Amino acid sequence: MPQLNLVLLGPPGAGKGTQARRLAEDFGLPYIATGNMLRDAVQAGTELGEQAKRFMNNGDLVPDELIIAMITERLEQPDTEKGFILDGFPRTNAQAEALDRELLELGRSLTAALLIEADEEIVMRRLSGRRVCVKHQHNFHVDFDPPKHPDRCDRDGSRLIIRDDDKPEVIKHRLDEYHAKTEPLIGYYESQEILLRIDGSRDADQVRDQIRATLAVLRLEGQK
Ligand code: AP5
Ligand code: MG
């Protein structure tokens, strides 16, 4: 089986985390989410967490050098041998170039960059109703994916909370950051001919089906 080295791109609330987790389970690959890693660091009170906290709470991107160091170390772990699902990285040109360099050094390359597209009205609704569990950051939504008990995670029983950066004014700023700094990566991956567009406005199962079908075609093409 060839490696499956995937990047998930898309605005806040497009459903990257929801789909990345499913993909990781479907393909038995590690799920690597920079946002989750940073929130874990904040919770654990590490030096990285201390440095990242104020950027995250304001909805700003965390400086490239911190993120690149964190991801480089993660990609060198042996569990990424068969591939990985990257969620929320890269988010700037410098991060995309650093990822290409790191993979080249490891003798690997990206299989595809999946762009999950959803308009602003949709992402605002999704983020304003999101609930996240404190233990493993499983996602729920009060209307679209309600947990069985309003304040408990169905999967690990831990408490559900609202993320600090899911306040309307912070969401707005995260979207501005996305348009200014991350959207240019669409052209970056288009020019490498590895960008695949996914309609993120449909329900989560339909989005998953489109991703799976798209990846199946890609694998068949790879065998030709
Ligand atoms: P991060 O945690 O990556 O947040 P984000 O990119 O803003 O994206 P979200 O996690 O908000 O959305 P998502 O697309 O994962 O949607 P989800 O699946 O949860 O980053 C947070 C912060 O960390 C950044 O602001 C920055 O400060 C820092 N950071 C992280 N990475 C960085 C980097 N590389 N460089 C610099 N800084 C970095 O879905 C949202 C909701 O909708 C959920 O409730 C879900 O249940 C629901 N939902 C999902 N799909 C559907 C669907 N199809 N239909 C209906 N509801 C759905
Ligand atoms: Mg996420």
Side-chain angles (χ1 to χ4, degrees), residues 12-32:
K16 301 181 297 294
T18 302
Q19 297 302 330
R21 232 181 235 282
R22 288 167 174 227
L23 274 172
E25 282 168 14
D26 289 350
F27 291 100
L29 294 174
Y31 165 49
I32 305 175

Side-chain angles (χ1 to χ4, degrees), residues 161-219:
I161 54 160
I162 297 175
R163 253 169 61 174
D164 285 337
D165 59 351
D166 276 349
K167 301 183 189 95
E169 65 283 7
V170 184
I171 295 175
K172 187 89 197 55
H173 185 60
R174 284 160 59 204
L175 279 165
D176 291 342
E177 286 278 89
Y178 173 76
H179 293 310
K181 297 177 182 162
T182 308
E183 229 163 34
L185 297 186
I186 297 172
Y188 182 87
Y189 289 123
E190 255 171 354
S191 67
Q192 293 188 5
E193 300 184 3
I194 57 167
L195 188 88
L196 300 171
R197 288 176 188 268
I198 304 295
D199 178 2
S201 68
R202 298 191 285 175
D203 76 40
D205 288 340
Q206 289 173 316
V207 177
R208 176 202 213 153
D209 290 345
Q210 192 194 350
I211 293 177
R212 291 199 61 133
T214 307
L215 291 177
V217 170
L218 191 73
R219 292 195 140 183

